[in-house]
Amino acid sequence: MTVCASGVLTLANLERWEAPGPSLAVLGHPIGHSLSPAMHHAALARLAEHEPEYRSWRYHKFDVPPEELGRALPMLHEKGFVGLNLTIPHKVLAVGLVERIEPFAAEAGAVNTLRRTATGYEGFNTDGYGIVQAVEAAFAQPVRGRPVVLLGAGGAARAAAAAFLRAGCGGLHIGNRSAGSLEELLARMRPVAAETGTDLRGFLFAQPPDDLPADALVVNATSAGLRPDDPAPLDLVRLAGRPDVYDMIYNPALPPVLREARALGLRAAGGLSMLAHQGARALERWTGRPVDAAVMLRACEEALASR
C-alpha cells in the first residue's frame, strides 16, 4: 500500500485495502494537515494499557473529494471500518448519505462522526460537545447565560450554534460572509432558539451591527486564518467590554482572529482543545469506553510542535 509522506491515503488505496485489525479514519479534502491519527493513536494506546485488544486498532486519514464521498462510504463499510470522522467539506454533505443520525446531529444539520452498523453508518455530531467543553475550560466560565458571537455558517458553525443554544447561552449573534448560508443557518436554529427562549440574530461581516453584546464569547468557525494572508472576518474593536475569543483553527497557532485578540489584550485560545474534546467523544462512540481528552490534547500539541 503506497502512502504519501504525510500519511494521506486515497480511494485507490482503499480499493486494495488489506490492513489487519479494526480500522478508523478521518475523511477530508484536503486532509494532510490533520492531527487526528496522532491523537487517536495516543488515546488507543492508553486504552490498551488495560484492554490489550485496542493495540490492534489503527487510525488513518483519507483525502476524499466531496464528489467521491457517496462512493467512499460504502467502500469503507465493505472494508470493515469501525468508525469515521468527517472534516471539511463533508460534514453537511454526509447527512444525506448515512442510514440514520442522532437527534443533535439532525438539529445541527451536520455530522462529523460515523459509527458502523451491520448495514451502513449512523451519524453523530461531537463538534457541539467539543466546542462547549473547550470554551468553558479555556475561560473558566460557563456558556449558560453568556452572550455568544459566532463567526461562520458552515458545518462546524452549525454544530456550535445548536450546542450554544442548548447550553443556555445568553443570546446568539451569528455573522457570516454570504447572506444565503447565514439565512439557512438562522432558519435551522430558529426553532431551537424559540424552544430555549434565546435571542437569535444574524449579521453580515460587511455590515456588522453597532449593538453586538458586550463581554461576549466570540467563536471563529470560519476558515479565515488557514492561509497566511487571510484577513480576520470581524474587527474585534467593534465589540464592547472584554470579549473572550476562541478560534477553532489550530494550525497556524496564531491566525488573524487570535492575533488581533492578543494585540488588544483579550483572553484568547486556539482550536486544539476543541479538536481533542470532540475526538475523545468520537472515540467513546466507537469503543464504548471513557476516553481522556487530556491524553489526546497532549498528543496534538506534540504532533504540532514536531512539524
Side-chain angles (χ1 to χ4, degrees):
M1 182 171 64
T2 302
V3 183
C4 77
S6 61
V8 175
L9 301 166
T10 68
L11 294 188
N13 299 115
L14 187 61
E15 289 170 348
R16 303 186 298 272
W17 193 259
E18 296 180 354
S23 293
L24 307 167
V26 59
L27 315 183
H29 183 69
I31 198 62
H33 65 284
S34 176
L35 302 179
S36 291
M39 72 175 186
H40 281 282
H41 283 143
L44 287 166
R46 175 62 60 87
L47 289 174
E49 292 175 2
H50 302 286
E51 299 183 70
E53 66 185 270
Y54 291 113
R55 291 174 185 163
S56 63
W57 287 49
R58 293 292 180 270
Y59 191 104
H60 311 273
K61 52 185 174 182
F62 283 85
D63 190 302
V64 178
E67 64 273 15
E68 293 289 340
L69 184 61
R71 183 167 76 95
L73 295 182
M75 289 176 62
L76 288 156
H77 186 270
E78 179 188 350
K79 300 297 183 180
F81 277 69
V82 174
L84 306 172
N85 285 135
L86 305 174
T87 188
I88 296 173
H90 299 316
K91 295 180 182 183
V92 177
L93 179 61
V95 170
L97 298 176
V98 295
E99 60 180 17
R100 60 178 176 269
I101 59 176
E102 65 167 349
F104 177 80
E107 189 169 83
V111 294
N112 76 319
T113 299
L114 305 184
R115 182 171 64 189
R116 192 177 191 274
T117 70
T119 55
Y121 286 104
E122 55 184 342
F124 302 88
N125 192 303
T126 66
D127 280 338
Y129 169 84
I131 186 60
V132 170
Q133 293 293 312
V135 298
E136 291 189 339
F139 305 120
Q141 186 173 347
V143 168
R144 179 168 294 279
R146 187 166 197 197
V148 176
V149 177
L150 176 63
L151 309 180
R158 289 184 176 205
F164 289 138
L165 289 171
R166 288 296 177 192
C169 69
L172 178 61
H173 290 65
I174 304 176
N176 197 49
R177 180 179 57 83
S178 64
S181 298
L182 174 61
E183 182 51 42
E184 182 182 352
L185 179 53
L186 290 171
R188 179 173 289 277
M189 291 299 116
R190 283 186 185 112
V192 188
E195 182 183 336
T196 57
T198 309
D199 182 33
L200 174 66
R201 305 184 192 185
F203 65 93
L204 295 176
F205 293 149
Q207 301 172 309
D210 294 327
D211 60 348
L212 289 172
D215 301 321
L217 169 64
V218 180
V219 176
N220 178 38
T222 75
S223 60
L226 291 176
R227 295 177 296 273
D229 57 346
D230 282 342
L234 178 70
D235 187 352
L236 297 178
V237 174
R238 288 183 169 273
L239 293 155
R242 303 288 296 172
D244 290 331
V245 181
Y246 191 92
D247 197 322
M248 291 187 185
I249 292 173
Y250 59 83
N251 189 18
L254 201 60
V257 172
L258 292 192
R259 192 161 57 242
E260 182 182 357
R262 291 182 179 174
L264 294 170
L266 304 175
R267 296 195 299 179
L272 273 185
S273 56
M274 176 185 171
L275 180 69
H277 281 291
Q278 67 80 23
R281 179 55 62 94
L283 192 54
E284 289 173 353
R285 296 289 192 198
W286 300 326
T287 64
R289 301 290 188 271
V291 175
D292 186 353
V295 170
M296 302 182 90
L297 179 57
R298 284 195 297 273
C300 288
E301 293 169 341
E302 291 168 3
L304 202 55
S306 69
R307 291 187 175 181

